[in-house]
Amino acid sequence: MIEHLYTTPVYSNFAKDYQSLNYHIDKVIDKVDFNYKKEWGATHYMSTDFMKKINIIKKLGLNKIEKEIDTHLRNYCNELNFPMRDYASESWFAKFEKGNYAHIHNHGFADISGAYYYKTNGEDGDFFFESPNPYLSTSECYIPLSQRWEYKPQEGKILLFPGWLKHGVKTNNTDNTRISLAFNICNKNNW
């Protein structure tokens, strides 16, 4: 018998009626101001609210998407046997035009991080995770477990993962503009 110890729980599921959610975002996306974060250089655009720590979901009144994320968050927490009660969140939009990418990073202070894919053609930059165990590649039998895990974005998909898990986005080599809604969630006692 093999015991799979120290696994990393990643959640992926489609939002219910995501066309309706996207319609609500369509109505407000023109109000979002995008810019590069100076410290990162010309990697990708972030909604400027990100720099001010403003919750863009609340600011734009995206109540339906907030409820949808809450549903998936509670499903994820149920699988973890963690009773999510009150939590605080922050959110922002990320935009990737041709040549843009997201460097490898984590959201270490967040209990749970996530993304909702609003606009993508599925070829405009795969999301990826790095292995949290740096020692897997030191032994030949574990090398396959040490590779990056890549996720092809799909409109309407929600992805949830531990905030400490290193991740990034591969370069968008298409002429399509990809936009995702990213968020961090913390138990209210830890915020």
Side-chain angles (χ1 to χ4, degrees), residues 51-94:
M51 285 62 139
K52 299 173 190 170
K53 300 284 187 194
I54 294 174
N55 186 331
I56 196 106
I57 292 173
K58 293 237 186 252
K59 178 183 177 184
L60 297 176
L62 296 170
N63 300 334
K64 284 189 173 187
I65 189 103
E66 183 177 37
K67 288 178 185 173
E68 185 70 24
I69 290 169
D70 181 76
T71 297
H72 290 272
L73 174 65
R74 291 184 187 285
N75 290 342
Y76 179 59
C77 288
N78 283 340
E79 289 292 320
L80 298 173
N81 293 317
F82 178 75
M84 179 60 80
R85 292 179 190 95
D86 279 346
Y87 60 88
S89 63
E90 63 178 353
S91 61
W92 63 94
F93 282 103

Side-chain angles (χ1 to χ4, degrees), residues 120-131:
T120 179
N121 67 6
E123 303 298 326
D124 43 18
D126 287 356
F127 186 92
F128 64 86
F129 292 112
E130 293 282 312
S131 171

Side-chain angles (χ1 to χ4, degrees), residues 28 82 94 157:
V28 297
F82 178 75
K157 221 59 180 318

Side-chain angles (χ1 to χ4, degrees), residues 5 7 11 18 24 26 36 38 43 48 56 58 65 67 71 115 117 124 126 135 139 143 153 155 157 180-181 183:
L5 302 177
T7 60
Y11 175 95
Y18 73 87
H24 288 283
D26 288 341
Y36 290 119
K38 288 181 187 177
T43 57
T48 54
I56 196 106
K58 293 237 186 252
I65 189 103
K67 288 178 185 173
T71 297
Y117 293 98
D124 43 18
D126 287 356
Y135 304 106
S139 177
I143 286 176
E155 281 188 17
K157 221 59 180 318
S180 56
L181 176 64
F183 48 90

